[in-house]
Amino acid sequence: MKSFSISPVPFDIAPLRERLLDAHAGAYASFEGWVRDHNEGQPVRGLAYEAYVALAEAEGERILAEARQRFAITAAACVHRTGELAIGDLAVWVGASAAHRGAAFDACRWIIDEVKARVPIWKHERYATGAADWLHPGG
Protein backbone atom coordinates (compact mmCIF):
# COMPACT_ATOMS: atom_id res chain seq x y z
CA MET A 1 0.00 0.00 0.00
CA LYS A 2 1.32 3.45 -0.92
CA SER A 3 2.32 5.79 1.88
CA PHE A 4 2.31 8.92 -0.29
CA SER A 5 -0.29 9.85 -2.85
CA ILE A 6 -1.53 12.70 -4.99
CA SER A 7 -5.29 13.16 -5.00
CA PRO A 8 -7.19 15.11 -7.67
CA VAL A 9 -10.31 15.05 -5.46
CA PRO A 10 -11.07 15.87 -1.80
CA PHE A 11 -10.23 13.00 0.54
CA ASP A 12 -11.29 11.80 3.98
CA ILE A 13 -8.56 11.64 6.63
CA ALA A 14 -10.30 9.06 8.87
CA PRO A 15 -9.29 6.02 6.75
CA LEU A 16 -5.77 7.43 6.42
CA ARG A 17 -5.47 7.71 10.20
CA GLU A 18 -6.81 4.17 10.59
CA ARG A 19 -3.97 2.85 8.42
CA LEU A 20 -1.49 4.20 11.00
CA LEU A 21 -2.99 2.34 13.96
CA ASP A 22 -0.62 -0.20 15.46
CA ALA A 23 -0.48 -2.07 18.79
CA HIS A 24 3.07 -0.68 19.31
CA ALA A 25 1.93 2.92 18.78
CA GLY A 26 1.03 4.98 21.81
CA ALA A 27 0.93 8.25 19.89
CA TYR A 28 -0.35 9.74 16.68
CA ALA A 29 0.34 13.20 15.27
CA SER A 30 -1.00 14.79 12.12
CA PHE A 31 -0.68 17.95 10.11
CA GLU A 32 -3.36 19.46 7.88
CA GLY A 33 -2.49 22.22 5.44
CA TRP A 34 -5.43 24.36 4.29
CA VAL A 35 -5.77 26.99 1.60
CA ARG A 36 -5.51 30.38 3.28
CA ASP A 37 -6.87 33.71 2.10
CA HIS A 38 -3.51 35.51 1.91
CA ASN A 39 0.14 35.02 0.96
CA GLU A 40 2.99 37.48 1.34
CA GLY A 41 0.64 40.37 2.05
CA GLN A 42 -1.68 39.71 -0.88
CA PRO A 43 -5.30 38.57 -0.58
CA VAL A 44 -5.72 35.15 -2.26
CA ARG A 45 -8.99 34.23 -4.06
CA GLY A 46 -8.11 30.61 -4.75
CA LEU A 47 -5.47 28.36 -6.18
CA ALA A 48 -4.73 25.28 -8.21
CA TYR A 49 -2.07 22.66 -7.60
CA GLU A 50 -0.39 20.80 -10.43
CA ALA A 51 2.03 17.91 -10.07
CA TYR A 52 4.15 15.59 -12.11
CA VAL A 53 2.26 12.73 -10.45
CA ALA A 54 4.61 9.79 -11.10
CA LEU A 55 7.67 11.73 -9.98
CA ALA A 56 5.81 13.38 -7.07
CA GLU A 57 4.60 10.04 -5.74
CA ALA A 58 8.04 8.44 -6.13
CA GLU A 59 9.74 11.32 -4.28
CA GLY A 60 7.01 11.32 -1.63
CA GLU A 61 7.57 7.60 -1.04
CA ARG A 62 11.31 8.27 -0.65
CA ILE A 63 10.59 10.97 1.93
CA LEU A 64 8.33 8.66 3.95
CA ALA A 65 10.92 5.85 3.78
CA GLU A 66 13.55 8.30 5.06
CA ALA A 67 11.21 9.37 7.86
CA ARG A 68 10.77 5.75 8.95
CA GLN A 69 14.57 5.41 9.13
CA ARG A 70 15.19 8.79 10.86
CA PHE A 71 12.47 8.68 13.50
CA ALA A 72 11.22 5.96 15.83
CA ILE A 73 7.82 5.77 14.13
CA THR A 74 5.63 2.78 13.40
CA ALA A 75 4.01 4.27 10.30
CA ALA A 76 3.54 7.47 8.30
CA ALA A 77 1.45 8.64 5.37
CA CYS A 78 0.88 11.78 3.31
CA VAL A 79 -1.68 12.88 0.72
CA HIS A 80 -1.45 16.09 -1.34
CA ARG A 81 -4.26 17.52 -3.45
CA THR A 82 -4.08 18.70 -7.02
CA GLY A 83 -6.62 20.67 -9.00
CA GLU A 84 -8.71 23.71 -8.07
CA LEU A 85 -9.01 24.45 -4.36
CA ALA A 86 -11.01 27.12 -2.57
CA ILE A 87 -10.12 29.04 0.56
CA GLY A 88 -10.37 26.65 3.53
CA ASP A 89 -9.98 23.46 1.47
CA LEU A 90 -7.65 20.74 2.73
CA ALA A 91 -4.54 20.80 0.55
CA VAL A 92 -2.22 18.35 2.31
CA TRP A 93 -2.37 15.86 5.17
CA VAL A 94 0.48 14.13 6.99
CA GLY A 95 0.13 11.54 9.74
CA ALA A 96 2.65 9.60 11.81
CA SER A 97 2.29 7.05 14.59
CA ALA A 98 4.95 6.07 17.11
CA ALA A 99 5.45 4.53 20.52
CA HIS A 100 5.91 8.04 21.93
CA ARG A 101 4.54 11.48 20.97
CA GLY A 102 7.92 13.15 20.39
CA ALA A 103 8.81 10.92 17.47
CA ALA A 104 5.33 11.29 15.95
CA PHE A 105 5.45 15.11 16.19
CA ASP A 106 9.04 15.31 14.90
CA ALA A 107 8.36 12.99 11.97
CA CYS A 108 5.21 14.87 10.99
CA ARG A 109 7.00 18.22 10.85
CA TRP A 110 9.99 16.78 9.00
CA ILE A 111 7.76 15.07 6.42
CA ILE A 112 5.76 18.20 5.52
CA ASP A 113 8.94 20.29 5.33
CA GLU A 114 10.56 17.76 3.00
CA VAL A 115 7.42 17.40 0.86
CA LYS A 116 7.29 21.19 0.38
CA ALA A 117 11.01 21.31 -0.47
CA ARG A 118 11.39 18.25 -2.70
CA VAL A 119 8.14 17.07 -4.27
CA PRO A 120 7.35 18.49 -7.75
CA ILE A 121 4.04 20.17 -6.96
CA TRP A 122 3.34 23.67 -8.26
CA LYS A 123 0.84 26.09 -6.78
CA HIS A 124 -0.92 28.65 -8.99
CA GLU A 125 -2.27 31.34 -6.68
CA ARG A 126 -4.89 33.81 -7.85
CA TYR A 127 -4.95 37.13 -6.03
CA ALA A 128 -7.81 39.57 -5.40
CA THR A 129 -5.97 42.12 -7.57
CA GLY A 130 -6.45 39.88 -10.61
CA ALA A 131 -2.77 38.91 -10.69
CA ALA A 132 -1.61 35.31 -10.36
CA ASP A 133 1.68 33.62 -9.54
CA TRP A 134 3.20 30.14 -9.83
CA LEU A 135 4.96 28.85 -6.73
CA HIS A 136 7.09 25.71 -6.58
CA PRO A 137 8.15 23.52 -3.66
CA GLY A 138 8.98 25.60 -0.64
CA GLY A 139 6.19 28.07 -1.47
Side-chain angles (χ1 to χ4, degrees):
M1 184 177 311
K2 295 190 312 184
S3 297
F4 182 92
S5 61
I6 298 291
S7 178
V9 296
F11 56 90
D12 183 9
I13 63 171
L16 298 169
R17 181 186 169 279
E18 254 182 61
R19 288 180 28 203
L20 302 180
L21 296 175
D22 185 289
H24 296 295
Y28 160 79
S30 67
F31 169 80
E32 294 179 20
W34 307 318
V35 177
R36 63 182 179 268
D37 68 356
H38 67 282
N39 188 32
E40 296 183 5
Q42 294 193 70
V44 173
R45 287 185 317 166
L47 58 82
Y49 283 105
E50 291 187 12
Y52 179 170
V53 175
L55 187 58
E57 289 184 340
E59 187 62 20
E61 288 291 343
R62 276 191 284 280
I63 290 167
L64 290 165
E66 289 173 32
R68 287 188 292 275
Q69 291 175 349
R70 267 180 186 260
F71 303 95
I73 57 176
T74 56
C78 179
V79 180
H80 201 296
R81 281 287 312 277
T82 55
E84 290 290 329
L85 281 80
I87 304 303
D89 282 353
L90 179 62
V92 61
W93 174 88
V94 178
S97 57
H100 303 285
R101 68 182 175 271
F105 281 126
D106 293 346
C108 230
R109 179 169 190 128
W110 186 86
I111 291 165
I112 190 58
D113 288 348
E114 292 298 306
V115 166
K116 289 187 70 66
R118 294 168 42 186
V119 176
I121 298 172
W122 296 269
K123 178 168 52 172
H124 188 238
E125 285 189 331
R126 293 180 308 282
Y127 306 107
T129 62
D133 198 10
W134 282 99
L135 305 171
H136 184 254

